[in-house]
Amino acid sequence: MPALRHGNLSEADFVLEGFGGGPAIQALLFAVFLALYVVTVLGNVVMILLITVEVRLHSPMYFLLRSLSFLDLCYSSVIAPEALSNFLSATKVISFAGCATQFFFFSFLVTTEGLLLGVMAYDRFVAICSPLRYPVTMRPTNCARLVMGTYCGGSFNAIVQTSLTFQLPFCGSHRIDHFFCDVPPLLQLACADTALNQLVMFSVCGLIIVGTTLVVLVSYGYITVTIFRMRSAAGRRKVFSTCGSHMTAVSLFCGTVFVMYAQPGAVESMEQGKVVSVFYTLVIPMLNPLIYSLRNKDVKEALWRLGQSRAAT
Protein backbone atom coordinates (compact mmCIF):
# COMPACT_ATOMS: atom_id res chain seq x y z
CA MET A 1 0.00 0.00 0.00
CA PRO A 2 1.56 3.34 -0.98
CA ALA A 3 2.41 5.74 1.79
CA LEU A 4 0.13 8.71 2.20
CA ARG A 5 1.79 12.07 1.72
CA HIS A 6 1.36 15.27 3.68
CA GLY A 7 2.88 18.05 1.61
CA ASN A 8 6.40 16.89 0.84
CA LEU A 9 6.51 14.42 3.75
CA SER A 10 5.55 10.76 3.33
CA GLU A 11 4.34 8.61 6.21
CA ALA A 12 7.51 6.57 5.69
CA ASP A 13 9.81 9.59 5.90
CA PHE A 14 11.55 10.99 8.95
CA VAL A 15 12.51 14.54 9.85
CA LEU A 16 15.97 15.08 11.37
CA GLU A 17 15.39 17.99 13.74
CA GLY A 18 19.08 18.39 14.52
CA PHE A 19 19.94 21.41 16.64
CA GLY A 20 17.51 24.20 17.37
CA GLY A 21 17.96 27.85 16.46
CA GLY A 22 17.27 30.24 13.61
CA PRO A 23 19.07 30.68 10.29
CA ALA A 24 22.09 32.32 11.93
CA ILE A 25 22.61 29.39 14.31
CA GLN A 26 22.15 26.91 11.47
CA ALA A 27 24.73 28.76 9.36
CA LEU A 28 27.20 28.75 12.25
CA LEU A 29 26.66 25.02 12.83
CA PHE A 30 27.10 24.40 9.10
CA ALA A 31 30.45 26.21 9.19
CA VAL A 32 31.61 24.27 12.29
CA PHE A 33 30.55 20.89 10.90
CA LEU A 34 32.09 21.66 7.52
CA ALA A 35 35.42 22.65 9.09
CA LEU A 36 35.49 19.51 11.23
CA TYR A 37 34.62 17.28 8.28
CA VAL A 38 37.19 18.86 5.92
CA VAL A 39 39.97 18.45 8.48
CA THR A 40 38.81 14.87 9.14
CA VAL A 41 38.91 13.98 5.43
CA LEU A 42 42.27 15.65 4.82
CA GLY A 43 43.91 14.17 7.92
CA ASN A 44 42.75 10.61 7.33
CA VAL A 45 43.42 10.67 3.58
CA VAL A 46 46.96 11.90 4.26
CA MET A 47 47.51 9.11 6.80
CA ILE A 48 46.20 6.47 4.37
CA LEU A 49 48.34 7.73 1.49
CA LEU A 50 51.41 8.21 3.64
CA ILE A 51 51.30 4.68 5.07
CA THR A 52 50.61 3.27 1.61
CA VAL A 53 53.50 4.98 -0.22
CA GLU A 54 56.10 5.05 2.57
CA VAL A 55 57.91 1.69 2.57
CA ARG A 56 59.27 2.22 6.10
CA LEU A 57 55.72 2.27 7.42
CA HIS A 58 54.82 -1.12 5.91
CA SER A 59 54.49 -2.90 9.25
CA PRO A 60 51.55 -4.45 11.15
CA MET A 61 51.15 -1.43 13.44
CA TYR A 62 50.78 0.97 10.52
CA PHE A 63 48.60 -1.46 8.60
CA LEU A 64 46.19 -1.30 11.54
CA LEU A 65 46.57 2.47 11.78
CA ARG A 66 45.71 2.80 8.09
CA SER A 67 42.62 0.65 8.72
CA LEU A 68 41.66 2.99 11.58
CA SER A 69 42.02 6.03 9.33
CA PHE A 70 39.85 4.36 6.69
CA LEU A 71 37.11 3.65 9.24
CA ASP A 72 37.29 7.21 10.60
CA LEU A 73 36.97 8.57 7.06
CA CYS A 74 34.02 6.31 6.26
CA TYR A 75 31.92 6.72 9.37
CA SER A 76 32.31 10.49 9.53
CA SER A 77 31.25 10.53 5.84
CA VAL A 78 28.11 8.55 6.72
CA ILE A 79 27.05 11.36 9.09
CA ALA A 80 28.53 14.71 8.02
CA PRO A 81 27.18 15.19 4.44
CA GLU A 82 23.58 14.53 5.49
CA ALA A 83 23.95 16.81 8.53
CA LEU A 84 25.46 19.59 6.37
CA SER A 85 22.63 19.40 3.84
CA ASN A 86 20.04 19.54 6.63
CA PHE A 87 21.52 22.73 8.07
CA LEU A 88 20.65 24.41 4.76
CA SER A 89 17.32 22.63 4.28
CA ALA A 90 13.91 23.88 5.33
CA THR A 91 12.35 20.40 5.50
CA LYS A 92 15.26 18.26 6.88
CA VAL A 93 13.53 15.15 5.52
CA ILE A 94 15.25 11.77 5.23
CA SER A 95 13.49 8.78 3.68
CA PHE A 96 12.84 5.57 5.60
CA ALA A 97 15.32 3.70 3.37
CA GLY A 98 17.89 6.49 3.70
CA CYS A 99 17.53 6.50 7.48
CA ALA A 100 17.89 2.71 7.68
CA THR A 101 20.94 2.79 5.39
CA GLN A 102 22.65 5.52 7.42
CA PHE A 103 21.79 3.66 10.63
CA PHE A 104 23.22 0.38 9.32
CA PHE A 105 26.52 1.78 8.06
CA PHE A 106 27.06 3.92 11.14
CA SER A 107 26.46 0.93 13.45
CA PHE A 108 28.70 -1.24 11.29
CA LEU A 109 31.62 1.21 11.11
CA VAL A 110 31.58 2.44 14.70
CA THR A 111 31.43 -1.14 16.04
CA THR A 112 34.27 -2.18 13.74
CA GLU A 113 36.38 0.73 14.97
CA GLY A 114 35.85 -0.23 18.62
CA LEU A 115 36.98 -3.80 17.89
CA LEU A 116 39.92 -2.56 15.84
CA LEU A 117 41.19 -0.50 18.79
CA GLY A 118 41.33 -3.75 20.79
CA VAL A 119 43.31 -5.43 17.98
CA MET A 120 45.74 -2.49 17.95
CA ALA A 121 46.31 -2.95 21.70
CA TYR A 122 47.03 -6.66 21.13
CA ASP A 123 49.48 -5.73 18.36
CA ARG A 124 51.45 -3.47 20.73
CA PHE A 125 51.38 -6.16 23.44
CA VAL A 126 52.94 -8.76 21.14
CA ALA A 127 55.46 -6.26 19.67
CA ILE A 128 56.75 -5.10 23.07
CA CYS A 129 56.31 -8.13 25.30
CA SER A 130 57.14 -10.89 22.77
CA PRO A 131 59.29 -9.21 20.08
CA LEU A 132 60.79 -12.50 18.85
CA ARG A 133 57.32 -13.94 18.17
CA TYR A 134 56.00 -10.70 16.66
CA PRO A 135 56.97 -11.33 12.99
CA VAL A 136 55.16 -14.68 13.07
CA THR A 137 52.19 -13.75 15.25
CA MET A 138 51.43 -10.54 13.36
CA ARG A 139 52.41 -11.63 9.86
CA PRO A 140 50.33 -10.03 7.05
CA THR A 141 47.84 -12.90 6.75
CA ASN A 142 47.14 -12.83 10.49
CA CYS A 143 46.74 -9.05 10.44
CA ALA A 144 44.27 -9.34 7.57
CA ARG A 145 42.31 -12.00 9.47
CA LEU A 146 42.15 -9.86 12.60
CA VAL A 147 40.90 -6.86 10.62
CA MET A 148 38.35 -9.04 8.81
CA GLY A 149 37.22 -10.30 12.22
CA THR A 150 36.50 -6.73 13.32
CA TYR A 151 34.45 -6.18 10.16
CA CYS A 152 32.50 -9.38 10.80
CA GLY A 153 31.75 -8.21 14.36
CA GLY A 154 30.66 -4.82 13.04
CA SER A 155 28.41 -6.45 10.43
CA PHE A 156 26.78 -8.68 13.04
CA ASN A 157 25.97 -5.77 15.35
CA ALA A 158 24.70 -3.61 12.48
CA ILE A 159 22.40 -6.35 11.19
CA VAL A 160 20.99 -7.05 14.66
CA GLN A 161 20.49 -3.39 15.59
CA THR A 162 19.03 -2.40 12.21
CA SER A 163 16.61 -5.32 12.00
CA LEU A 164 15.40 -4.86 15.58
CA THR A 165 15.00 -1.09 15.24
CA PHE A 166 13.34 -0.81 11.84
CA GLN A 167 10.82 -3.58 12.42
CA LEU A 168 9.25 -1.38 15.12
CA PRO A 169 6.08 0.56 14.28
CA PHE A 170 6.81 4.31 14.23
CA CYS A 171 4.01 6.74 14.88
CA GLY A 172 3.39 10.39 15.56
CA SER A 173 5.30 13.11 13.73
CA HIS A 174 8.31 10.96 12.74
CA ARG A 175 10.48 13.84 13.93
CA ILE A 176 13.86 12.46 15.07
CA ASP A 177 15.36 14.58 17.85
CA HIS A 178 18.89 14.20 16.48
CA PHE A 179 21.07 15.18 13.51
CA PHE A 180 21.36 11.59 12.21
CA CYS A 181 19.47 8.29 12.47
CA ASP A 182 20.61 6.64 15.68
CA VAL A 183 19.18 4.08 18.10
CA PRO A 184 18.10 6.24 21.10
CA PRO A 185 16.08 8.88 19.20
CA LEU A 186 14.46 6.28 16.96
CA LEU A 187 13.34 4.24 19.98
CA GLN A 188 11.59 7.34 21.30
CA LEU A 189 9.35 7.34 18.19
CA ALA A 190 8.31 3.69 18.47
CA CYS A 191 4.70 2.83 19.33
CA ALA A 192 5.66 -0.61 20.68
CA ASP A 193 7.57 -1.84 23.71
CA THR A 194 11.29 -1.14 23.18
CA ALA A 195 12.61 -3.02 26.22
CA LEU A 196 14.21 -5.70 24.04
CA ASN A 197 15.84 -3.10 21.80
CA GLN A 198 17.27 -1.23 24.77
CA LEU A 199 18.50 -4.45 26.34
CA VAL A 200 20.25 -5.46 23.12
CA MET A 201 21.75 -1.99 22.70
CA PHE A 202 23.10 -1.84 26.25
CA SER A 203 24.28 -5.47 26.15
CA VAL A 204 26.06 -5.36 22.79
CA CYS A 205 27.58 -1.92 23.28
CA GLY A 206 28.54 -2.77 26.85
CA LEU A 207 30.13 -6.03 25.71
CA ILE A 208 32.14 -4.29 23.00
CA ILE A 209 33.26 -1.48 25.30
CA VAL A 210 34.07 -3.77 28.24
CA GLY A 211 35.78 -6.29 25.95
CA THR A 212 37.88 -3.61 24.25
CA THR A 213 38.74 -1.99 27.57
CA LEU A 214 39.79 -5.30 29.12
CA VAL A 215 42.01 -6.15 26.15
CA VAL A 216 43.58 -2.70 26.32
CA LEU A 217 44.08 -2.76 30.11
CA VAL A 218 45.58 -6.26 30.15
CA SER A 219 47.80 -5.51 27.15
CA TYR A 220 49.05 -2.24 28.56
CA GLY A 221 49.49 -3.74 32.01
CA TYR A 222 52.02 -6.18 30.56
CA ILE A 223 53.48 -3.43 28.37
CA THR A 224 54.02 -1.14 31.37
CA VAL A 225 55.89 -3.87 33.25
CA THR A 226 58.03 -4.54 30.18
CA ILE A 227 58.78 -0.85 29.67
CA PHE A 228 60.09 -0.39 33.20
CA ARG A 229 62.42 -3.33 32.67
CA MET A 230 64.01 -1.68 29.64
CA ARG A 231 67.50 -0.34 30.16
CA SER A 232 67.39 2.10 27.27
CA ALA A 233 65.82 5.46 28.12
CA ALA A 234 65.38 6.21 24.40
CA GLY A 235 63.54 2.92 23.95
CA ARG A 236 61.24 3.68 26.87
CA ARG A 237 60.42 7.12 25.43
CA LYS A 238 59.60 5.67 22.00
CA VAL A 239 57.34 2.99 23.46
CA PHE A 240 55.60 5.47 25.76
CA SER A 241 54.99 7.80 22.80
CA THR A 242 53.45 5.08 20.63
CA CYS A 243 51.39 3.54 23.43
CA GLY A 244 50.31 6.93 24.75
CA SER A 245 48.77 7.76 21.35
CA HIS A 246 46.78 4.56 21.34
CA MET A 247 45.61 4.96 24.94
CA THR A 248 44.44 8.49 24.16
CA ALA A 249 42.44 7.29 21.13
CA VAL A 250 40.89 4.39 23.06
CA SER A 251 39.94 6.58 26.03
CA LEU A 252 38.25 9.20 23.86
CA PHE A 253 36.33 6.66 21.78
CA CYS A 254 35.21 4.27 24.52
CA GLY A 255 34.36 7.08 26.94
CA THR A 256 32.02 8.88 24.54
CA VAL A 257 30.40 5.69 23.21
CA PHE A 258 29.78 4.51 26.80
CA VAL A 259 28.07 7.80 27.69
CA MET A 260 25.78 7.51 24.66
CA TYR A 261 24.88 3.82 24.49
CA ALA A 262 26.00 1.71 27.44
CA GLN A 263 24.50 3.44 30.45
CA PRO A 264 20.90 3.41 31.71
CA GLY A 265 19.06 6.64 30.92
CA ALA A 266 21.10 7.41 27.81
CA VAL A 267 18.03 7.07 25.61
CA GLU A 268 16.18 9.88 27.42
CA SER A 269 19.10 12.32 27.38
CA MET A 270 18.93 13.53 23.77
CA GLU A 271 20.29 17.05 24.28
CA GLN A 272 23.40 15.66 25.93
CA GLY A 273 23.41 12.89 23.34
CA LYS A 274 23.66 15.33 20.43
CA VAL A 275 26.77 16.96 21.87
CA VAL A 276 28.36 13.59 22.66
CA SER A 277 27.49 12.36 19.16
CA VAL A 278 29.25 15.33 17.55
CA PHE A 279 32.32 14.38 19.54
CA TYR A 280 32.58 10.76 18.42
CA THR A 281 31.23 11.19 14.88
CA LEU A 282 33.36 14.19 13.87
CA VAL A 283 35.79 15.35 16.56
CA ILE A 284 37.44 11.97 17.32
CA PRO A 285 37.88 11.02 13.62
CA MET A 286 39.49 14.45 13.16
CA LEU A 287 41.75 14.05 16.21
CA ASN A 288 43.00 10.50 15.52
CA PRO A 289 45.37 11.42 12.66
CA LEU A 290 46.69 14.33 14.74
CA ILE A 291 47.17 12.11 17.81
CA TYR A 292 49.08 9.46 15.89
CA SER A 293 51.13 11.84 13.73
CA LEU A 294 52.10 14.45 16.33
CA ARG A 295 53.13 11.81 18.89
CA ASN A 296 54.78 9.42 16.43
CA LYS A 297 58.35 10.03 15.33
CA ASP A 298 58.16 7.59 12.39
CA VAL A 299 55.06 9.30 10.97
CA LYS A 300 56.59 12.78 11.37
CA GLU A 301 59.78 11.64 9.64
CA ALA A 302 57.77 10.06 6.82
CA LEU A 303 55.80 13.30 6.38
CA TRP A 304 59.04 15.28 6.27
CA ARG A 305 60.57 12.92 3.66
CA LEU A 306 57.40 13.10 1.58
CA GLY A 307 57.44 16.88 1.76
CA GLN A 308 61.11 16.99 0.76
CA SER A 309 60.55 14.69 -2.22
CA ARG A 310 57.63 16.82 -3.41
CA ALA A 311 59.68 19.99 -3.01
CA ALA A 312 62.55 18.46 -5.00
CA THR A 313 60.24 17.69 -7.92
Side-chain angles (χ1 to χ4, degrees):
M1 180 177 179
L4 300 174
R5 301 191 66 85
H6 305 278
N8 292 324
L9 180 63
S10 162
E11 284 185 349
D13 292 337
F14 293 101
V15 176
L16 291 170
E17 290 192 329
F19 298 89
I25 298 296
Q26 297 299 306
L28 176 61
L29 289 170
F30 176 86
V32 171
F33 270 57
L34 181 61
L36 290 173
Y37 183 55
V38 168
V39 175
T40 298
V41 171
L42 290 176
N44 285 290
V45 167
V46 167
M47 288 295 290
I48 292 169
L49 293 177
L50 183 66
I51 294 171
T52 301
V53 303
E54 180 58 53
V55 177
R56 299 183 191 184
L57 299 182
H58 289 181
S59 67
M61 182 179 79
Y62 293 107
F63 171 76
L64 296 174
L65 180 55
R66 182 174 60 184
S67 300
L68 179 68
S69 291
F70 176 73
L71 288 172
D72 281 337
L73 178 63
C74 288
Y75 91 72
S76 60
S77 296
V78 168
I79 303 301
E82 181 69 30
L84 289 169
S85 67
N86 282 339
F87 286 133
L88 304 179
S89 170
T91 59
K92 304 182 187 298
V93 174
I94 184 171
S95 68
F96 183 91
C99 187
T101 301
Q102 184 186 58
F103 181 98
F104 174 85
F105 280 104
F106 174 72
S107 300
F108 164 59
L109 293 165
V110 77
T111 304
T112 303
E113 175 150 335
L115 297 172
L116 182 64
L117 290 171
V119 172
M120 293 173 72
Y122 174 72
D123 169 75
R124 291 298 82 207
F125 161 72
V126 177
I128 296 167
C129 300
S130 303
L132 297 179
R133 293 172 45 210
Y134 185 70
V136 176
T137 304
M138 297 301 293
R139 61 181 181 269
T141 53
N142 286 353
C143 285
R145 286 172 186 154
L146 287 169
V147 172
M148 284 303 299
T150 66
Y151 277 85
C152 289
S155 298
F156 174 76
N157 183 46
I159 291 169
V160 170
Q161 298 282 4
T162 305
S163 59
L164 282 176
T165 301
F166 285 88
Q167 58 83 31
L168 291 170
F170 297 104
C171 49
S173 65
H174 282 210
R175 304 184 73 85
I176 300 175
D177 188 17
H178 216 306
F179 61 91
F180 69 97
C181 293
D182 199 7
V183 181
L186 281 167
L187 294 186
Q188 290 184 340
L189 300 181
C191 303
D193 182 17
T194 61
L196 176 61
N197 299 73
Q198 295 189 44
L199 178 62
V200 171
M201 181 181 71
F202 294 144
S203 299
V204 173
C205 293
L207 180 63
I208 293 168
I209 294 169
V210 171
T212 299
T213 303
L214 282 176
V215 170
V216 171
L217 290 177
V218 171
S219 298
Y220 280 96
Y222 280 104
I223 288 170
T224 302
V225 173
T226 304
I227 288 173
F228 284 114
R229 290 177 179 173
M230 290 181 176
R231 296 181 179 179
S232 169
R236 285 198 298 270
R237 282 196 299 271
K238 182 176 181 179
V239 172
F240 268 125
S241 176
T242 302
C243 294
S245 300
H246 186 244
M247 285 297 293
T248 302
V250 171
S251 299
L252 289 172
F253 180 85
C254 290
T256 52
V257 171
F258 177 83
V259 168
M260 189 63 192
Y261 302 106
Q263 61 167 338
V267 173
E268 288 78 19
S269 182
M270 279 298 98
E271 290 306 315
Q272 176 194 20
K274 292 178 192 178
V275 177
V276 174
S277 296
V278 171
F279 201 80
Y280 70 78
T281 57
L282 288 172
V283 176
I284 291 177
M286 179 194 69
L287 290 178
N288 278 344
L290 299 175
I291 290 170
Y292 284 102
S293 61
L294 294 177
R295 294 178 60 88
N296 191 302
K297 183 180 178 182
D298 293 336
V299 173
K300 287 189 286 188
E301 289 178 350
L303 281 170
W304 183 82
R305 285 194 297 271
L306 184 63
Q308 290 294 103
S309 65
R310 291 291 178 269
T313 57

